[in-house]
Amino acid sequence: IEADIRNELKKIQGINKIDINTTAKVSPSRQILQGDLLPTVKNVIAIASGKGGVGKTTIACNIAIALAMLGSKVGLLDGDIYGPSVPRIMGVKEPVGVRQNTLIPPVAYNVKVISIGFFISDETPLIWRGPMVSGALRQLITQVEWGELDYLIVDLPPGTGDIHLTLAQTLPLTGIIIVTTPQPVAYNVAIKALQMFKKLNVEIIGIIENMSYFICPHCKNKADIFDSKGGRVIAEKYNIPFLGEIPLDPLIRESSDNGIPVVIQNSEASKYYFEIAKKVAGRVSVISKSKEI
């Protein structure tokens, strides 16, 4: 759109300089009713996998940043109470603030971030039963000053347990994104997560396939280390959108470990997250229109 505008304006005599600012106007996908726990949040998107170790948190962080870079107001909630890794990936330096018993989330890469990881040391295990975990998640949702957000991205833990039920029953979710790797051992578990959210009447935004393939940096050959097309198998079988593939790239891992997410870098890997973020925004727009809000 920007390119088309520039080309047309250049045809007009006397115009020497063209500055274009692109912002996002995001529609809400849920009805904000009296007593809503997050009245200033237009859309709540949860990211789940069913199985651990598929790169779900890295995807959640990079998509959140990509949406913010595209002009949206974004928050990121780390719902993995037992294994919070969002603070490290996001490289959060700013401490959590407090105002009248309300938490003020730190901001990293224009994304407001909250995690139980801010309140415990890296070596401290949380030996909590289900009700305590659900209570902690509810506090992270309701006792945080999120302000106006177009999107709140919630990174869920692996599995189909208490946290997932708490989230679905506490908040009117816009929808869920399922992350899997290509091999059957991963996508068979992802299907269980998919089916759980369907039973809870949560909209499925789409499927992301992570670690889809590896490009050898020396010979440039493509290797399907974890098999191939597992995400597409789910998408086709259950007639839900396939949001894209993300390759197995050492730069993504290194960037996450160093707290400098790859999406902010001008690299080939960053393009995958931007394309997926655009598709997510498009799907949310479709969901909003279907609900006629």
Side-chain angles (χ1 to χ4, degrees):
I1 293 171
E2 286 188 5
D4 288 344
I5 292 171
R6 288 182 186 278
N7 290 335
E8 291 302 315
L9 289 176
K10 286 176 181 177
K11 296 176 184 178
I12 303 174
Q13 191 173 2
I15 294 181
N16 300 316
K17 184 181 178 183
I18 301 170
D19 290 323
I20 299 176
N21 262 331
T22 304
T23 58
K25 183 178 180 181
V26 181
S27 299
S29 62
R30 61 195 193 92
Q31 189 77 46
I32 307 295
L33 303 173
Q34 188 173 3
D36 194 294
L37 295 176
L38 293 173
T40 60
V41 178
K42 293 179 180 178
N43 301 286
V44 182
I45 300 171
I47 300 186
S49 62
K51 187 179 185 301
V54 299
K56 169 184 52 59
T57 302
T58 298
I59 287 174
C61 293
N62 280 283
I63 286 179
I65 295 170
L67 288 169
M69 292 176 74
L70 291 167
S72 300
K73 298 175 183 176
V74 184
L76 176 62
L77 168 62
D78 187 352
D80 195 344
I81 304 298
Y82 290 122
S85 51
V86 164
R88 181 182 186 118
I89 294 174
M90 293 293 287
V92 177
K93 306 298 183 186
E94 180 186 344
V96 177
V98 180
R99 183 187 295 126
Q100 297 179 345
N101 297 321
T102 302
L103 300 175
I104 311 300
V107 178
Y109 308 109
N110 288 324
V111 175
K112 295 179 179 180
V113 184
I114 201 70
S115 169
I116 196 73
F118 293 141
F119 308 103
I120 59 173
S121 70
D122 291 342
E123 296 81 19
T124 304
L126 287 181
I127 310 172
W128 289 354
R129 294 189 183 275
M132 293 181 67
V133 173
S134 297
L137 178 64
R138 187 177 177 87
Q139 282 185 295
L140 291 178
I141 294 171
T142 60
Q143 294 184 13
V144 174
E145 191 174 296
W146 290 110
E148 290 190 12
L149 294 180
D150 295 314
Y151 304 101
L152 175 62
I153 307 296
V154 184
D155 175 41
L156 290 175
T160 53
D162 290 334
I163 287 183
H164 308 76
L165 289 170
T166 297
L167 184 70
Q169 293 167 355
T170 302
L171 291 176
L173 293 172
T174 299
I176 190 88
I177 295 171
I178 304 292
V179 177
T180 186
T181 47
Q183 74 269 39
V185 72
Y187 70 70
N188 284 339
V189 181
I191 289 172
K192 293 181 180 180
L194 171 68
Q195 296 289 38
M196 181 194 74
F197 283 105
K198 277 192 168 186
K199 288 183 178 180
L200 294 170
N201 295 317
V202 176
E203 189 86 35
I204 309 300
I205 293 174
I207 301 287
I208 297 173
E209 184 182 281
N210 198 25
M211 307 181 202
S212 296
Y213 53 87
F214 175 72
I215 303 293
C216 176
H218 306 294
C219 66
K220 305 302 179 184
N221 284 338
K222 178 181 177 182
D224 295 324
I225 294 176
F226 298 113
D227 207 341
S228 63
K229 296 183 172 45
R232 293 184 185 276
V233 168
I234 301 176
E236 291 172 5
K237 183 175 180 179
Y238 295 95
N239 194 29
I240 53 180
F242 183 69
L243 300 175
E245 298 176 341
I246 300 172
L248 186 63
D249 189 328
L251 179 61
I252 296 174
R253 194 275 303 163
E254 293 165 7
S255 300
S256 297
D257 285 344
N258 294 329
I260 309 171
V262 73
V263 76
I264 70 165
Q265 304 173 39
N266 187 19
S267 67
E268 189 67 28
S270 66
K271 297 176 184 177
Y272 299 104
Y273 294 103
F274 273 109
E275 290 306 311
I276 289 174
K278 291 173 185 177
K279 289 179 182 178
V280 170
R283 281 283 294 143
V284 170
S285 178
V286 170
I287 292 169
S288 300
K289 290 178 181 177
S290 70
K291 294 183 178 181
E292 296 182 345
I293 293 176

